[in-house]
């Protein structure tokens, strides 16, 4: 038995040295707090700046300048027998001449005035007439998107006080456009085309439809490949594999795989899937396979962690009443690990959704004016579409790029919200 | 009254039956069992016979191997990597380490209740119904309902939970959870129930209930219970085996072990000199 001898006099807690010591410790506490707070403020500040830039830059792309024009569908120009092949260009010219009677005889001025409207205006009219042939011989009122320079002029991105020779639009055309504004023919409705149009060379018509559908197919392939393979691999490694040199080797390699730069996976996809297996280029199938390779390590690591987190008592309980291994895993361990697996999977998918470099290498940055119809059609994805737009010189694509980023971020936020929601739901029932 | 005496200790040795019964049916019989965890020799040459429809307690200080030995009887040690079991363990006359033996069937016949109550995070009903369902013991919902009720009744839990079978088993109190685990074990109608310190996580009142339950269950089942508490061993068991440092020191009727142990180590442990 040991007896601790209490010192005759205890420490003097009120001495100056003791007080100073305490003050120092409190000061250190405060400093640590301030460091943490500063770090958070910096992180949040950077995030706010990023979001603010993207949002302010992209905001103008969410509305579209439209000019309301009356078109006279002259039966001489469009015959009811062949609506598709009518002379719609002339209809547009006539309509513009009607809009500006004062320049109706000046062909050059008229052509220039026609450029206020998007150069695809004739197809808007054609589609309307095809949809309703009874319009032939009557007038049709349509709000046609303004061409990019006038769209920018209307949105104020083109400064009117610049010297004329440095401006995209000259004084005469500006005056004509202002005349339309004064007559109340110019409106700026929400730009649904941003979501429902495919890509286009004309910024006023370019939309994300192809990219959204492409990303959807891409994620579908990624999900279908990486989730079953990843979960099965994780279950094997965690529940079946004997711990040994081989399992350690595999584990190290999986962890390394997670750290491989994505562009390398792109090269691999190019070499293996396209060159060796001969799969189609630019297709979501190939892109999805490449992204699966990237997502696999994440899913395997997350799933293993989730399986490991299931208490051993549950495994023993299942074994104890004679459950076989697959029953133990499928009935008890996997359902308990599911919230974790699900969150990991969705985070992996979100990563895949934002991945650009490997897609560039497998050719998913093609310029396509039609949305893909399946996983083997050529397609773009949201991030590559943003990349394409960012690379385009027209003024309108600047805002389009930011708008594309906003849409991508929205998808990511929705995916993460779903992950959180599902996680909460599943945790409550189990 | 029957009396089992183990004359010598170290070698484990067969149990000698005396008294009026004379022919006691042996349910589990172990001969020269050794268990290795990698390099560690955890159990050394243990031989013991467990009579049918009685309670046998394994007692001994911490780390003496009693739980390890218990887990050999339903081959739970198979799940631990690096664990090797040698020797011979027989359930009725069947070698349970025989290569042809189906472990799943063995674990259905030899149920287990663990130290910490470990109900599945499912409903009370599902907890009990799981075993019969995976072993295909029931045909139809009515059958299953009957088994669940019967098992919960046997585990003395029915009255407390009959109105909330749909609620999660993890929401019950510790003692109720442990009885739920017992109900889950007996739902597959095992012949032997292994209990690994079933009361160590329970308060005294819950412990008393589980002990009562063990006493009732012994009419139909062979029970082997590992316990730290000598009082518990004395209260619930008919046979006691004393383990020390991986060796079965002494085995015999509980009354005998507690009043007149042969071995000095048993004597020392019982009287609280170590352990």
């Amino acid at each position: 038995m040991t007896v601790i001898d209490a010192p005759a006099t205890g420490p003097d807690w009120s001495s100056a040295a003791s007080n100073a010591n305490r003050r120092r410790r409190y000061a250190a506490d405060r400093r640590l707090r301030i460091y943490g707070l500063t770090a958070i403020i910096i992180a949040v500040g950077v995030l706010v700046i990023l979001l603010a830039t993207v949002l302010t830059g992209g905001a103008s792309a969410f509305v579209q300048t439209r000019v309301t024009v009356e078109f006279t569908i002259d039966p001489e120009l469009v015959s009811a027998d062949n609506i598709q092949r009518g002379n719609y260009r002339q209809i547009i010219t006539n309509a513009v001449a009607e809009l500006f009677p004062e320049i109706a005889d000046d062909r050059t001025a008229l052509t220039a005035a026609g450029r206020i409207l998007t150069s695809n205006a004739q197809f808007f009219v054609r589609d309307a007439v095809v949809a309703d042939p009874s319009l032939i011989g009557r007038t049709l009122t349509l709000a046609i998107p303004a061409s990019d320079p006038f769209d920018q002029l209307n949105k104020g991105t083109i400064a009117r006080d610049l010297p004329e020779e440095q401006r995209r639009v000259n004084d005469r055309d500006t005056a004509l456009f202002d005349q339309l504004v004064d007559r109340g023919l110019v409106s700026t409705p929400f730009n649904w085309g941003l979501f429902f149009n495919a890509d286009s060379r004309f910024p006023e018509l370019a939309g994300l439809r192809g990219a959204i559908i492409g990303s959807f197919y891409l994620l579908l392939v990624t999900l279908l490949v990486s989730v079953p393979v990843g979960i099965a691999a994780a279950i094997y490694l965690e529940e079946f594999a004997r711990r040994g040199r081989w399992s350690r080797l595999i584990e190290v390699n999986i962890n390394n795989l997670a750290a491989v730069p994505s562009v390398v996976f792109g090269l691999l996809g190019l070499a293996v899937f396209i060159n060796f297996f001969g799969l189609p280029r630019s297709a979501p199938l190939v892109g999805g396979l490449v992204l699966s390779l990237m997502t696999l390590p994440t899913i395997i690591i997350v799933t293993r962690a989730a399986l490991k987190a299931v208490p051993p008592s549950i495994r023993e309980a299942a074994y104890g009443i004679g459950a076989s291994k697959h029953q133990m895993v499928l009935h008890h361990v996997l359902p308990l690990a599911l919230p974790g697996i699900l969150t990991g999977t969705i985070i992996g998918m979100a990563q895949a959704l934002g991945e650009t470099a490997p897609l560039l290498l497998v050719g998913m940055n093609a310029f396509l004016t039609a949305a893909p119809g399946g996983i083997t059609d050529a397609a773009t994805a949201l991030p590559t579409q943003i990349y394409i737009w960012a690379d385009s010189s027209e003024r309108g694509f600047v805002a389009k790029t930011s708008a594309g980023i906003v849409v991508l971020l929205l998808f990511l936020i929705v995916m993460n919200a779903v992950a959180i929601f599902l996680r909460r739901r599943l945790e409550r029932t189990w | 009254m029957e009396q089992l005496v183990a004359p010598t200790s170290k070698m484990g040795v067969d149990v000698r039956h005396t008294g009026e019964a004379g022919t006691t049916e042996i349910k589990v019989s172990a001969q020269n069992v050794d268990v290795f965890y990698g390099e560690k020799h955890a159990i050394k040459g243990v031989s013991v016979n467990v009579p049918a429809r009685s309670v046998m307690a394994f007692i001994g200080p911490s780390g003496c191997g009693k739980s390890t030995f218990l887990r050999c009887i339903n081959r739970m040690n198979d799940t631990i990597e690096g664990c090797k079991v040698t020797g011979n363990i027989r359930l009725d006359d069947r070698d349970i380490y025989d290569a042809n033996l189906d472990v799943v069937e063995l674990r259905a016949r030899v149920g287990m209740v663990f130290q910490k109550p470990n109900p599945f995070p499912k409903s009370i009903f599902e907890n009990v119904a799981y075993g019969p369902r995976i072993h295909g013991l029931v045909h139809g919902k009515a059958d299953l309902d009957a088994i669940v009720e019967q098992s919960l009744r046997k585990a003395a839990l029915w009255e407390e939970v009959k109105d909330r079978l749909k609620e999660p088993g993890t929401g019950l109190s510790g003692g109720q959870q442990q009885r739920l685990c017992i109900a889950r074990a007996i739902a597959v109608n095992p012949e032997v129930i292994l209990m690994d310190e079933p009361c160590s996580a329970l308060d005294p009142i819950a412990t008393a209930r589980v002990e009562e339950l063990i006493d009732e269950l012994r009419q139909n089942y062979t029970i082997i219970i590992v316990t730290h508490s000598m009082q518990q061993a004395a209260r619930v068991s008919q046979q006691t085996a004393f383990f020390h440092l991986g060796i079965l020191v002494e085995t015999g009727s509980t009354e005998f072990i507690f009043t007149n142990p042969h071995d000095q180590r048993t004597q020392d442990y019982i009287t609280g000199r170590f352990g």
Side-chain angles (χ1 to χ4, degrees):
Chain A
M1 205 83 132
T2 352
V3 176
I4 298 163
D5 287 311
T9 53
D12 183 4
W13 294 110
S14 55
S15 73
S18 172
N19 282 337
N21 177 35
R22 272 203 298 278
R23 266 199 305 280
R24 263 201 312 282
R25 280 154 55 195
Y26 287 136
D29 287 355
R30 271 197 301 278
R31 276 200 304 279
L32 186 61
R33 210 180 109 99
I34 289 167
Y35 295 151
L37 210 59
T38 319
I40 288 176
I41 288 170
I42 291 172
V44 170
V46 169
L47 193 67
V48 166
I49 291 170
L50 174 80
L51 284 179
T53 334
V54 169
L55 284 175
T56 51
S60 70
F62 284 95
V63 291
Q64 188 173 41
T65 307
R66 283 180 179 249
V67 182
T68 310
V69 188
E70 269 189 17
F71 298 100
T72 311
I73 314 297
D74 190 340
E76 279 178 21
L77 296 172
V78 182
S79 87
D81 307 332
N82 197 348
I83 300 175
Q84 293 276 5
R85 313 280 320 250
N87 188 354
Y88 293 100
R89 190 175 283 275
Q90 190 56 48
I91 293 179
I92 306 290
T93 315
N94 292 349
V96 174
E98 264 175 61
L99 270 182
F100 306 110
E102 68 275 17
I103 56 165
D105 300 325
D106 181 348
R107 284 207 69 81
T108 335
L110 209 54
T111 314
R115 292 205 192 100
I116 291 177
L117 301 179
T118 175
S119 41
N120 277 8
Q122 46 178 326
F123 302 122
F124 281 83
V125 178
R126 184 195 64 190
D127 291 348
V129 181
V130 168
D132 183 8
S134 69
L135 285 169
I136 296 171
R138 290 163 49 202
T139 59
L140 161 69
T141 310
L142 271 183
I144 299 289
S147 67
D148 185 47
F150 292 93
D151 187 31
Q152 299 307 321
L153 182 74
N154 188 40
K155 286 169 180 170
T157 15
I158 292 177
R160 285 163 183 267
D161 47 9
L162 274 179
E164 190 180 6
E165 65 274 15
Q166 290 178 25
R167 244 183 292 144
R168 283 287 308 281
V169 285
N170 59 26
D171 286 341
R172 184 192 58 190
D173 297 345
T174 308
L176 290 177
F177 184 75
D178 288 342
Q179 200 188 322
L180 293 177
V181 175
D182 291 340
R183 278 148 71 184
L185 294 175
V186 175
S187 57
T188 48
F190 187 80
N191 185 7
W192 290 108
L194 180 64
F195 302 98
F196 297 122
N197 288 355
D199 197 12
S200 165
R201 276 187 298 124
F202 308 110
E204 70 272 18
L205 297 175
L208 289 168
R209 178 154 184 265
I212 291 172
I213 293 175
S215 271
F216 170 76
Y217 283 132
L218 204 57
L219 287 194
L220 191 72
V221 173
T222 310
L223 197 76
L224 290 181
V225 174
S226 64
V227 168
V229 175
I231 292 179
I235 288 176
Y236 180 81
L237 288 173
E238 203 52 47
E239 306 288 343
F240 289 89
R242 292 203 160 272
R243 303 271 180 280
R245 202 186 323 166
W246 285 109
S247 73
R248 265 204 305 280
L249 190 73
I250 291 172
E251 198 171 327
V252 167
N253 277 304
I254 288 171
N255 291 338
N256 282 343
L257 219 54
V260 170
S262 57
V263 70
V264 175
F265 283 105
L267 281 171
L268 180 104
L270 180 64
V272 175
F273 298 127
I274 295 179
N275 288 347
F276 186 74
F277 287 110
L279 294 177
R281 243 188 306 170
S282 305
L285 176 63
V286 174
L289 287 173
V290 171
L291 293 183
S292 301
L293 294 180
M294 287 192 50
T295 326
L296 257 180
T298 314
I299 292 183
I300 292 177
I301 292 168
V302 169
T303 305
R304 287 190 69 180
L307 290 173
K308 212 174 279 181
V310 174
S313 66
I314 295 296
R315 291 186 171 81
E316 292 203 318
Y319 279 141
I321 49 171
S324 61
K325 197 141 197 164
H326 89 270
Q327 287 168 330
M328 185 272 287
V329 172
L330 296 184
H331 297 173
H332 301 288
V333 177
L334 202 57
L336 284 176
L338 210 55
I341 296 174
L342 213 63
T343 317
T345 304
I346 294 179
I347 287 169
M349 287 298 127
Q351 256 174 20
L353 178 65
E355 200 54 67
T356 326
L359 301 184
L360 297 180
L361 283 165
V362 298
M364 288 193 71
N365 55 340
F367 171 71
L368 298 164
T369 51
I375 57 169
T376 51
D377 287 0
T380 56
L382 277 169
T384 47
Q385 188 66 66
I386 292 169
Y387 178 84
I388 295 168
W389 283 353
D391 231 16
S392 306
S393 55
E394 282 86 351
R395 195 73 176 78
F397 280 122
V398 176
K400 276 271 147 80
T401 305
S402 292
I405 294 171
V406 171
V407 172
L408 182 61
L409 287 179
L410 279 178
F411 274 98
L412 291 176
I413 290 170
V414 167
M415 283 173 83
N416 285 324
V418 167
I420 293 168
F421 173 76
L422 284 177
R423 193 193 174 108
R424 291 252 172 97
R425 267 302 284 275
L426 286 169
E427 266 177 355
R428 217 172 290 150
T429 44
W430 275 93
Chain B
M1 201 205 126
E2 61 184 21
Q3 197 168 41
L4 306 178
V5 183
T8 54
S9 48
K10 205 163 192 172
M11 300 317 292
V13 189
D14 52 336
V15 180
R16 210 164 57 215
H17 303 277
T18 55
E20 62 217 80
T23 52
T24 309
E25 186 194 336
I26 299 297
K27 190 74 194 170
V28 179
S29 152
Q31 298 298 326
N32 292 318
V33 174
D34 284 80
V35 179
F36 302 87
Y37 287 126
E39 294 293 297
K40 192 172 171 251
H41 197 171
I43 296 282
K44 298 162 188 164
V46 168
S47 300
V48 66
N49 286 331
V50 182
R53 283 177 295 283
S54 71
V55 179
M56 177 173 247
F58 289 174
I59 61 169
S62 296
C64 67
K66 53 195 191 301
S67 286
T68 301
F69 182 67
L70 187 79
R71 293 166 61 96
C72 291
I73 300 172
N74 65 346
R75 290 183 54 176
M76 279 301 272
N77 284 334
D78 288 12
T79 60
I80 297 167
E81 246 174 75
C83 179
K84 204 179 100 201
V85 180
T86 63
N88 190 312
I89 302 177
R90 290 178 171 277
L91 174 66
D92 293 328
D93 275 319
R94 187 87 202 275
D95 181 2
I96 65 164
Y97 279 87
D98 183 21
N100 294 324
L101 182 122
D102 182 357
V103 179
V104 165
E105 181 208 318
L106 172 73
R107 294 199 187 123
R109 289 174 62 191
V110 182
M112 189 156 191
V113 176
F114 296 85
Q115 185 168 2
K116 211 173 135 252
N118 56 354
F120 297 129
K122 302 184 181 199
S123 71
I124 295 170
F125 183 90
E126 280 303 317
N127 261 285
V128 183
Y130 183 69
R133 205 179 271 152
I134 60 169
H135 292 296
L137 301 179
V138 284
H139 306 284
K141 175 92 173 90
D143 216 4
L144 190 62
D145 286 348
I147 284 202
V148 170
E149 177 175 347
Q150 205 179 29
S151 307
L152 285 169
R153 276 191 195 283
K154 278 190 197 159
L157 191 61
W158 176 252
E159 292 303 324
E160 293 161 58
V161 300
K162 64 180 174 192
D163 299 323
R164 46 180 178 141
L165 293 175
K166 294 261 176 289
E167 285 174 33
T170 41
L172 297 172
S173 74
Q176 288 173 323
Q177 285 188 21
Q178 196 60 298
R179 277 180 282 145
L180 178 63
C181 292
I182 294 173
R184 181 177 66 188
I186 58 189
V188 292
N189 203 16
E191 296 152 39
V192 181
I193 303 175
L194 308 177
M195 297 185 173
D196 189 357
E197 298 184 38
C199 301
S200 65
L202 305 185
D203 65 50
I205 294 167
T207 300
R209 297 231 41 187
V210 172
E211 285 181 6
E212 260 172 54
L213 177 60
I214 292 171
D215 207 45
E216 284 163 30
L217 291 175
R218 101 179 129 91
Q219 321 215 328
N220 299 308
Y221 305 96
T222 304
I223 296 172
I224 306 175
I225 178 171
V226 163
T227 175
H228 255 118
S229 152
M230 279 173 292
Q231 290 83 347
Q232 185 172 58
R235 282 193 300 263
V236 302
S237 72
Q238 286 76 54
Q239 311 290 323
T240 296
F242 172 63
F243 286 77
H244 183 48
L245 299 175
I247 293 165
L248 177 60
V249 174
E250 189 166 3
T251 171
S253 85
T254 300
E255 201 188 335
F256 186 86
I257 292 272
F258 278 88
T259 53
N260 192 13
H262 278 258
D263 196 282
Q264 186 59 40
R265 286 168 293 182
T266 318
Q267 173 94 42
D268 289 349
Y269 182 69
I270 304 262
T271 51
R273 227 163 277 164
F274 73 90

